[in-house]
Amino acid sequence: MLPPIKKMGNAIILFQEDAQDLDAFTLAKSYFDLKEYDRAAYFLRGCKSQKAYFLYMYSRYLSGEKRKDDETVDSLGPLEKGQVKNEALRELRVELSKKHKARELDGFGLYLYGVVLRKLDLVKEALDVFVEATHVLPLHWGTWLELCNLITDKEMLKFLTLPDCWIKEFFLAHIYTEQQLIEEALQKYQSLIDAGFSKSTYIISQIAVAYHNIRDIDKALSIFNELRKQDPYRIENMDTFSNLLYVRGLKPELSYLAHNLCDIDKYRVETCCVIGNYYSLRSQHEKAALYFQRALKLNPRYLGAWTLMGHEYMEMKNTSAAIQAYRHAIEVNKRDYRAWYGLGQTYEILKMPFYCLYYYRRAHQLRPNDSRMLVALGECYEKLNQLVGAKKCYWRAYAVGDVEKMALVKLAKLHEQLNESEQAAQCYIKYIQDIYSCGEIVEHQEVSTAFRYLAQYYFKCKLWDEASACAQKCFNFNDTREEGKALLRQILQLRNQNESPSADLQSNAPFLFPQSVSASNTPTRRVSPLNLSSVTP
């Protein structure tokens, strides 16, 4: 009998079974590293050690995944979910289940068993196995990431019995980021920094991703730029950085990033995505789609590439390919709100509002405080003539912080359509106040629309000063200049006839124009806003 072999200097412990399987394990590991998974599995048959058994089963699993990916990655046709499967999963489940019942699986074996169960959509069983794996081998980060994919909300997290280990804090911060609980995530990362991880580039990158998720683009860009100074050859998360540069339209910076990553490693999925974003910003959508396809050849389960490729097909008006790309993204990660939102936009182009409504609702569930999802939902309800639902969505979008400053305008037009003139005017006045208070350059048509409506509204109420102020503001816009002049002439004519507003009409004036916008300081009554914020669609 061979005694246990111990080499404590490198913290390596080889027991008898490990020693017997060492040659076969080393050979198979070489084939595994070369991605010759069937070959690796063949030479591990009959091995008894836990490490060799894990590598044997894992090689079989990856061989099945490779075959599945080879069948799907080049296909953007109408493949239904589940049409292409990993045929090895059921066999692996049977064998691993026997080992699990006999309590012969180590932490890595439990991890693989959980992955197989998740792939077979046995979510509850997979969840239990992953929790067990975290107790057996708490420092295996892959298990924590798989667990994160199965937890749908914060309440579900409370019922899990997880090991009390420092890595649990990293897991909680990660899952809070995934579930858009950004405030809690940032608190966790700050506590980890205070605990001694202040130089961790992983934490810095995750904080940048968190700010990206809440659309704080300037803060995220600042952190990514600092991260690039600390770790100039880093490739991880640079695709997210390129998304931010794309949104800001920073073409020189994005070009520099693409060239820099290409010099470091042009065969990384992140590099391909950055180059794809660069070509997309230059409106070369065919080239962009080509690079996203290259990324998917390198890693067919890379979420960002599927989503971005869907966007490019949308730009090229190839809706069927866009739908398939977004569906692949959802298959990789059901919590990717961008894919659900992209599907909603695609079906909107196809004029299929009921489909839009379903996909926008899913996106809204994942991003309940994102005004873009709410505005899109409101537009769907409006097309389906469900005007009460549309009102609630537009008001809620304004209440959570309207990113695009369009919710109030759409709500005002809806009131206008329903002949609710007072509510429409109230929305327009609040919209103008918001635009001027944030100091934005007023160039788009909706501001002129608001001033035109308010001028006409005050004119009907016989409030000449307020009507004159709004009509004068119409002079600043080409599309309303003539109407403003005509209205001012009418007001001047009526004033010359010494016609004054009656008391009952004057009492209907609900608005106080901001001093920076109004030419009049006439005190008027303020009406409370519509009470729709408590209702979420």
Side-chain angles (χ1 to χ4, degrees), residues 382-478:
E382 200 170 344
K383 287 172 184 173
L384 294 169
N385 206 31
Q386 299 180 23
L387 301 185
V388 174
K391 282 184 188 178
K392 292 173 183 175
C393 287
Y394 291 144
W395 182 258
R396 181 67 180 165
Y398 168 70
V400 299
D402 186 15
V403 175
E404 297 172 338
K405 304 291 183 188
M406 288 300 295
L408 281 174
V409 173
K410 290 183 179 295
L411 183 59
K413 289 181 177 178
L414 200 56
H415 285 304
E416 198 175 339
Q417 180 183 333
L418 296 170
N419 295 319
E420 298 170 351
S421 57
E422 186 173 324
Q423 290 92 329
Q426 186 177 21
C427 291
Y428 277 130
I429 194 74
K430 186 62 182 169
Y431 166 70
I432 291 171
Q433 288 172 342
D434 287 350
I435 289 291
Y436 277 84
S437 64
C438 65
E440 292 187 6
I441 299 174
V442 182
E443 292 180 350
H444 48 89
Q445 186 179 355
E446 303 303 339
V447 177
S448 63
T449 303
F451 278 120
R452 177 173 56 195
Y453 182 85
L454 287 171
Q456 292 169 350
Y457 172 77
Y458 285 129
F459 181 80
K460 289 175 184 176
C461 293
K462 298 186 179 181
L463 295 169
W464 313 132
D465 291 339
E466 288 83 352
S468 297
C470 292
Q472 287 171 7
K473 286 293 177 182
C474 290
F475 292 178
N476 298 329
F477 308 95
N478 292 330

Side-chain angles (χ1 to χ4, degrees), residues 113-226:
Y113 185 34
V115 169
V116 170
L117 291 171
R118 181 178 64 80
K119 289 280 186 178
L120 292 169
D121 292 326
L122 301 170
V123 176
K124 187 179 184 304
E125 293 90 333
L127 193 65
D128 294 337
V129 171
F130 283 131
V131 170
E132 184 182 349
T134 60
H135 285 276
V136 175
L137 190 65
L139 297 186
H140 183 206
W141 182 238
T143 304
W144 293 100
L145 290 178
E146 289 290 342
L147 195 59
C148 179
N149 291 332
L150 297 179
I151 298 172
T152 54
D153 53 49
K154 195 174 180 181
E155 290 301 315
M156 189 177 177
L157 187 61
K158 292 178 182 177
F159 293 102
L160 296 181
T161 307
L162 299 172
D164 190 12
C165 179
W166 59 268
I167 202 169
K168 178 183 174 183
E169 299 302 309
F170 281 88
F171 164 71
L172 291 174
H174 180 81
I175 198 169
Y176 288 156
T177 305
E178 287 287 304
Q179 295 183 356
Q180 309 302 325
L181 303 170
I182 304 302
E183 188 175 342
E184 291 93 328
L186 291 174
Q187 288 174 358
K188 283 289 180 186
Y189 284 127
Q190 187 58 51
S191 66
L192 287 167
I193 289 172
D194 296 338
F197 292 98
S198 58
K199 294 184 179 180
S200 169
T201 53
Y202 166 78
I203 291 179
I204 295 171
S205 67
Q206 288 300 107
I207 291 172
V209 169
Y211 280 113
H212 164 267
N213 288 355
I214 57 172
R215 308 287 295 177
D216 191 342
I217 296 173
D218 293 330
K219 183 73 173 176
L221 281 172
S222 173
I223 296 172
F224 269 122
N225 284 321
E226 184 61 33

